[in-house]
Amino acid sequence: MGVEKKWFFTLFTAAFLSLSILMFSSFSCFTFPMPFPSIVHHGPHHPPAFAYFISGGNKDGDRIFRLLLAVYHPRNRYLLHLGMDARDEERKRLGAAAMSVPAIRAFRNVDVVGKADYVTYMGSSNVAVTLRAASVMMKLDGGWDWFVTLSARDYPLVTQDDLAHVFSSVQRNLNFIDHTSDLGWKEKDRFQPIVVDPGIYLARRSQIFQATQKRDTPDAFNLFTGSPWVILSRSFLEFCIFGWDNLPRTLLMYFTNVKLSQEGYFHSVICNAPEFKNTTVNADLRYMIWDNPPKMDPLFLNVSVYDQMAESGAAFARQFEAGDPVLDMIDRKILKRGRNHAVPGAWCSGRRSWWLDPCSQWGEDVNILKPGPQAKKLEGSVSNLLDDWSSHTNQCLTASEETQD
């Protein structure tokens, strides 16, 4: 009897170890990434790629990480910026969180700005930080087609497969930038006052201050204003940064002393440059709700406006409170995104379940797209915008030209 018990115990132990090894092997094949990422293809014969500049301030690290996962795709490039008001520990945590994602660790397409800048909301430091981000991303990656600015208060309304699918039919020199030459009250309130942004020369946070005198509206170039949130082509940003024409630098010097310069710099450069003024699609592809009359910022979005937001045909929405339940609704209903997981796309090949991330595995080709239902809504919006764009010979009419037209 003792021999039989010993034999039975040995058999049971061997069976248990075999089952454990089998289960561990099965688990491993779904949780560990491929040792080498598949090749990312860029160029006119492949889907477009986007360079995302995501910015925020003190205690925005978790929000930026969530937004990163919501817009992540191996074909894109990402630069995350926590302003100098954030602690270095928070910046390091953000970098560590990003590197904890298997795809990000493998494709190495996410960077965090280590030497951050102070950003004054109403000053010119916003433009300086954005130009710096664009130049850094050009140096890091030669493949992206459009530069997208997002803040920690933004969130996508489409997947990256949706966005790339729709933009595959868009000329890659076009710029989505909401703009107008009708300055209205902004002429006296924003452009004529002379302001100084301490964020560009002080190593501490400080608000802008305004001179007692004002200056005349310039006549050497036309001023334009609009939304600070833009989707800009690589070719236009190369013009702004490498500037074979002196226009971008001239306007940069002028806008250094303009209140809320991010609402006018790119708009004025592009509409005063003959080679780029007709590349402007007059929209920012953002869903926002404003007070009447509008205040400095749009209203915060919540579950009460989810339906109209989802049906809007916009690519992004703003602004959201941190952790608002409507973000979970967008994750669940539109993005199909699990907690702390990237948005599943055609590139993800892992098994989907409640405890496994399907994007911890990917196939041999991460360049394929599988658009979802939201793509049709965005496609309708973009198609209407492009129809309007193609029907005008001058995309940057001045106020006097608009009156004559």
Side-chain angles (χ1 to χ4, degrees):
M1 194 70 178
V3 175
E4 291 180 358
K5 286 184 178 181
K6 184 176 181 180
W7 175 86
F8 180 77
F9 177 77
T10 303
L11 179 63
F12 177 79
T13 302
F16 178 77
L17 288 174
S18 299
L19 181 61
S20 298
I21 293 171
L22 179 63
M23 290 180 65
F24 181 77
S25 299
S26 300
F27 182 76
S28 297
C29 72
F30 289 111
T31 56
F32 291 101
M34 296 174 61
F36 300 101
S38 61
I39 297 175
V40 175
H41 297 294
H42 291 128
H45 302 297
H46 299 283
F50 301 87
Y52 281 94
F53 176 49
I54 305 176
S55 58
N58 186 35
K59 299 182 179 178
D60 279 338
D62 291 342
R63 300 174 74 176
I64 288 179
F65 180 59
R66 179 174 185 165
L67 177 55
L68 168 66
L69 294 177
V71 297
Y72 183 77
H73 194 285
R75 292 179 45 76
N76 296 336
R77 192 84 207 186
Y78 303 86
L79 185 64
L80 315 180
H81 179 265
L82 278 170
M84 201 181 290
D85 57 329
R87 296 168 61 87
D88 285 339
E89 290 78 3
E90 184 180 13
R91 204 168 286 110
K92 291 176 182 176
R93 283 199 305 271
L94 176 59
M99 289 304 292
S100 71
V101 180
I104 294 175
R105 196 163 59 246
F107 288 93
R108 297 191 175 276
N109 58 341
V110 177
D111 292 277
V112 179
V113 176
K115 188 177 180 181
D117 299 289
Y118 274 125
V119 179
T120 307
Y121 175 68
M122 297 185 69
S124 56
S125 49
N126 262 303
V127 173
V129 168
T130 304
L131 287 170
R132 178 194 182 191
S135 62
V136 166
M137 297 179 89
M138 284 182 183
K139 183 176 181 180
L140 291 173
D141 195 324
W144 54 266
D145 301 285
W146 278 285
F147 177 80
V148 183
T149 58
L150 294 177
S151 83
R153 297 184 177 187
D154 297 337
Y155 216 65
L157 298 177
V158 295
T159 69
Q160 292 305 290
D161 279 10
D162 294 338
L163 187 66
H165 169 76
V166 173
F167 271 70
S168 294
S169 301
V170 176
Q171 295 179 30
R172 301 195 184 186
N173 67 325
L174 294 185
N175 297 273
F176 289 78
I177 179 168
D178 173 76
H179 63 280
T180 180
S181 63
D182 184 8
L183 304 181
W185 60 269
K186 290 185 179 181
E187 182 173 5
K188 291 184 177 180
D189 183 76
R190 301 275 175 85
F191 291 98
Q192 291 183 350
I194 302 172
V195 301
V196 176
D197 181 357
I200 62 177
Y201 66 88
L202 289 182
R204 62 181 183 275
R205 188 175 183 85
S206 180
Q207 295 303 311
I208 63 169
F209 58 86
Q210 186 170 318
T212 55
Q213 292 183 324
K214 293 188 176 183
R215 57 184 174 181
D216 294 335
T217 302
D219 56 13
F221 46 82
N222 296 312
L223 292 175
F224 288 79
T225 187
S227 169
W229 308 105
V230 294
I231 302 177
L232 301 177
S233 68
R234 187 184 187 101
S235 57
F236 172 62
L237 282 170
E238 287 175 344
F239 173 71
C240 291
I241 294 168
F242 302 122
W244 52 90
D245 187 298
N246 205 35
L247 176 68
R249 284 179 289 274
T250 299
L251 286 172
L252 185 59
M253 294 180 72
Y254 172 79
F255 275 92
T256 299
N257 301 116
V258 170
K259 190 188 302 182
L260 286 168
S261 58
Q262 71 270 27
E263 294 185 0
Y265 174 69
F266 290 115
H267 317 66
S268 298
V269 172
I270 202 167
C271 281
N272 282 276
E275 58 267 61
F276 290 103
K277 69 178 183 180
N278 287 326
T279 66
T280 57
V281 180
N282 201 349
D284 60 8
L285 297 183
R286 265 71 168 180
Y287 177 84
M288 292 178 275
I289 297 178
W290 295 87
D291 269 332
N292 189 18
K295 297 180 179 179
M296 288 289 293
D297 288 306
L299 299 175
F300 283 100
L301 304 174
N302 53 44
V303 294
S304 68
V305 297
Y306 171 80
D307 289 337
Q308 63 191 78
M309 181 168 54
E311 296 294 324
S312 67
F316 307 97
R318 76 182 319 269
Q319 57 184 347
F320 297 94
E321 294 274 13
D324 193 284
V326 72
L327 297 174
D328 295 328
M329 290 183 68
I330 295 172
D331 279 342
R332 185 174 66 255
K333 295 185 176 184
I334 295 177
L335 305 179
K336 313 299 182 185
R337 189 183 78 87
R339 182 176 177 83
N340 290 328
H341 293 170
V343 175
W347 64 278
C348 305
S349 63
R351 184 179 62 183
R352 183 177 296 183
S353 69
W354 65 270
W355 74 89
L356 294 177
D357 179 2
C359 297
S360 62
Q361 280 279 294
W362 46 89
E364 295 181 1
D365 189 359
V366 297
N367 303 287
I368 56 175
L369 304 174
K370 186 179 180 181
Q374 288 295 113
K376 291 185 177 181
K377 299 168 187 175
L378 177 61
E379 191 171 30
S381 296
V382 171
S383 178
N384 291 336
L385 290 169
L386 294 180
D387 287 344
D388 183 65
W389 169 78
S390 62
S391 66
H392 294 83
T393 56
N394 187 351
Q395 304 300 323
C396 290
L397 292 171
T398 63
S400 60
E401 289 171 333
E402 289 177 355
T403 302
Q404 294 172 8
D405 191 58

